[in-house]
Amino acid sequence: MENILGWTIAAIGVIAARMVWKQWAHKFVVNEGYAGLLYQKGRYVRTLEPGEHRLFGADHAVTQTDLRKTLVTVPGQEVLTADNITIKFSVLLGCRVTDAAKVMHEVQNSWDVIYSAAQVALRETVAAFPADEVLKTRGDIGAELREKIVPQLEAIGIETLSVEVKDVMLPSGLRKAFTDVIM
């Protein structure tokens, strides 16, 4: 009889322990290609790697941040050249998050920062050259843009993988003049 009572008490103890564990233990799964930002009571604790995580305690929350490469298109921007000719450019940036905590805590919207950095760098770069030089060195413009954009994005935890001038569109009058000269 004492043996049965001992087993019953042990079983009740195990069940109680499981109930407490389920109530206080949290299971989080961070997907591959993401980083999980762990918060407790609204305060950042640490970054979680992909995989399953079990945490004991209350008030835990995880926010997942995408670390995969993404392409950001900055659509046609009208930019003045050194000789006051307006040329429309679109730019393509390849980037990825390298520091999820920085991206989430340093800026409100990282995509706005990327977009603005590309716009300002494009205007500064193109404004330094006359229109004919801009058209000749189109490939070099991407490299100059990259040099100006990289430090700004690194400061918020984003790596710039590539910067390319996607399209260069001349005003219709200038385009007609160029085709008349070529023919």
Side-chain angles (χ1 to χ4, degrees):
M1 189 71 150
E2 288 178 24
N3 201 11
I4 292 174
L5 183 61
W7 283 103
T8 306
I9 292 173
I12 291 171
V14 168
I15 292 170
R18 283 187 181 172
M19 288 174 62
V20 168
W21 176 257
K22 283 188 177 189
Q23 184 178 4
W24 290 98
H26 299 280
K27 176 182 162 185
F28 298 104
V29 176
V30 178
N31 297 325
E32 191 68 39
Y34 289 79
L37 300 178
L38 177 64
Y39 295 91
Q40 186 174 25
K41 296 182 181 178
R43 296 184 87 49
Y44 172 71
V45 178
R46 69 177 186 269
T47 301
L48 303 175
E49 298 294 320
E52 185 177 304
H53 303 272
R54 291 186 185 270
L55 301 168
F56 191 74
D59 300 321
H60 286 103
V62 172
T63 301
Q64 292 196 37
T65 302
D66 197 338
L67 301 178
R68 298 172 296 175
K69 177 183 175 180
T70 188
L71 296 174
V72 179
T73 300
V74 179
Q77 301 291 311
E78 291 189 350
V79 182
L80 277 176
T81 61
D83 50 0
N84 290 326
I85 295 176
T86 302
I87 300 177
K88 196 171 188 179
F89 287 87
S90 63
V91 178
L92 181 67
L93 283 90
C95 53
R96 69 181 186 91
V97 173
T98 55
D99 188 339
K102 251 187 184 181
V103 168
M104 291 298 290
H105 302 140
E106 294 288 325
V107 293
Q108 184 177 14
N109 188 335
S110 58
W111 302 116
D112 285 346
V113 173
I114 294 168
Y115 188 82
S116 297
Q119 281 184 320
V120 170
L122 179 64
R123 289 193 175 125
E124 288 175 357
T125 302
V126 172
F129 298 102
D132 61 335
E133 192 68 28
V134 167
L135 295 174
K136 287 180 197 172
T137 61
R138 176 182 167 184
D140 297 338
I141 291 174
E144 284 192 45
L145 291 175
R146 190 175 195 291
E147 286 178 23
K148 291 179 180 180
I149 293 170
V150 166
Q152 294 176 51
L153 298 187
E154 280 181 350
I156 62 165
I158 297 175
E159 177 185 14
T160 308
L161 302 170
S162 63
V163 178
E164 298 174 23
V165 174
K166 191 173 171 185
D167 295 313
V168 178
M169 297 156 272
L170 300 172
S172 60
L174 188 58
R175 189 173 39 234
K176 185 178 180 331
F178 271 119
T179 54
D180 289 345
V181 169
I182 293 172
M183 298 180 127

